[in-house]
Amino acid sequence: MISKETYRTPQDVLAILKAGLALAQEDLYQFNLSGFDLSKAQLHRATLIRANLSQANLSEADLSQADLRGADLSQAILRNANLQAACLYRADLSGADLRGANLTEIKLLGARYDSQTLFPEDFAYKSSGAIGPKANLNGAQLNTANLRHADLQGASLLGAYLGGADLTLVNLQGARLSQADLRKAWLTGAYLRHARINGANLAGADLRAADMTGVEFEQLESIAGADFSHVQGLSDEMRSRLLSQPAQELDTPHTLTRKTTRASLES
């Protein structure tokens, strides 16, 4: 094992790896390696928690069993990399190229991907626990999760637990949220066009300036304290249906804005 005294800076890490030496099992917590050429790097079982690897070239790198929790891998090149049994919980894979990578036993719970992320053709990323377009997140435990700006277009979130989650400006176009728990969720500016929310619980949710054009719902479990101020695309029929909820719900104020649900719908 190489002494940590020899790699105090990202440049030291690069020099060691370019010399053909391995940093297996080493602690590179929060190292900023953004944009570095780390192709064929030997990082087996390395600790890369919250490391910045955005736009890094990690093609053919050995990251097997590496700890990449919370790492930024946005736009990273991971072609033909070995990520077997690596832990990428809550990592950012937006725009990453993983074609040809070994993803056997990879752990992707809570990792973020988008429409530009490229996975191996035979990898079932939609059911991997990762968060992104068309993901299958039915019943997922995402309470208080930070999903701000996430792309969840067409995702299935049936019965998902999203209480207190930050869904600010999230893209939920066409998403299925029936029976989802959205109590006290932050949906400010969220794009909810044609989403299905039948039976969802919106108690205390912040929906200010959300786009609800074509949202499908027959019944909602509760809207007590939800703030619909400046919601876009809410038809008269939809507004009337929401205003037909029990008076006790409609007259409950939102905990932050202090505006009642009724006032937010009538303004």
Side-chain angles (χ1 to χ4, degrees), residues 156-220:
S156 186
L157 290 144
L158 304 177
Y161 296 89
L162 291 155
D166 187 351
L167 294 156
T168 304
L169 297 172
V170 69
N171 183 0
L172 284 161
Q173 182 176 10
R176 293 183 290 171
L177 289 151
S178 297
Q179 311 300 323
D181 181 358
L182 289 156
R183 288 175 295 175
K184 296 185 179 180
W186 302 94
L187 286 150
T188 315
Y191 195 72
L192 286 156
R193 286 195 170 210
H194 306 294
R196 304 174 192 173
I197 61 172
N198 191 49
N201 191 334
L202 294 170
D206 185 348
L207 288 139
R208 288 177 293 170
D211 188 342
M212 295 185 68
T213 303
V215 166
E216 298 178 24
F217 67 94
E218 294 299 324
Q219 293 180 321
L220 293 170

Side-chain angles (χ1 to χ4, degrees), residues 16-243:
I16 291 170
L17 293 171
K18 285 303 176 184
L21 300 175
L23 282 174
Q25 303 183 54
E26 297 299 333
D27 186 357
L28 301 173
Y29 173 72
Q30 285 191 326
F31 262 63
N32 184 357
L33 300 167
S34 176
F36 280 24
D37 181 2
L38 302 172
S39 54
K40 300 183 179 181
Q42 298 299 308
L43 291 162
H44 170 67
R45 295 185 66 184
T47 296
L48 289 152
I49 297 173
R50 297 180 64 184
N52 185 355
L53 293 158
S54 61
Q55 301 181 45
N57 180 5
L58 288 153
S59 56
E60 300 184 46
D62 183 2
L63 289 157
S64 56
Q65 298 182 57
D67 191 342
L68 288 148
R69 285 175 292 169
D72 184 354
L73 288 155
S74 57
Q75 299 183 58
I77 301 171
L78 290 148
R79 297 193 70 169
N80 302 311
N82 183 3
L83 286 155
Q84 183 173 4
C87 183
L88 277 80
Y89 291 163
R90 301 180 303 282
D92 187 354
L93 290 167
S94 302
D97 186 351
L98 294 130
R99 288 176 291 181
N102 179 359
L103 305 185
T104 306
E105 298 179 14
I106 194 170
K107 302 173 183 68
L108 287 170
L109 189 65
R112 297 258 296 259
Y113 68 90
D114 61 14
S115 59
Q116 304 302 310
T117 306
L118 299 171
F119 288 101
E121 289 186 9
D122 58 348
F123 182 67
Y125 63 91
K126 295 177 186 177
S127 57
S128 67
I131 296 166
K134 299 182 179 179
N136 183 349
L137 296 164
N138 295 337
Q141 300 279 349
L142 295 168
N143 302 76
T144 70
N146 180 6
L147 301 176
R148 181 180 287 248
H149 298 285
D151 185 355
L152 282 163
Q153 185 172 181
S156 186
L157 290 144
L158 304 177
Y161 296 89
L162 291 155
D166 187 351
L167 294 156
T168 304
L169 297 172
V170 69
N171 183 0
L172 284 161
Q173 182 176 10
R176 293 183 290 171
L177 289 151
S178 297
Q179 311 300 323
D181 181 358
L182 289 156
R183 288 175 295 175
K184 296 185 179 180
W186 302 94
L187 286 150
T188 315
Y191 195 72
L192 286 156
R193 286 195 170 210
H194 306 294
R196 304 174 192 173
I197 61 172
N198 191 49
N201 191 334
L202 294 170
D206 185 348
L207 288 139
R208 288 177 293 170
D211 188 342
M212 295 185 68
T213 303
V215 166
E216 298 178 24
F217 67 94
E218 294 299 324
Q219 293 180 321
L220 293 170
E221 183 176 341
S222 175
I223 60 170
D227 192 335
F228 293 91
S229 298
H230 309 296
V231 161
Q232 306 298 308
L234 203 61
S235 68
D236 291 341
E237 189 274 333
M238 292 165 65
R239 192 181 302 271
S240 177
R241 197 185 309 164
L242 290 170
L243 285 168

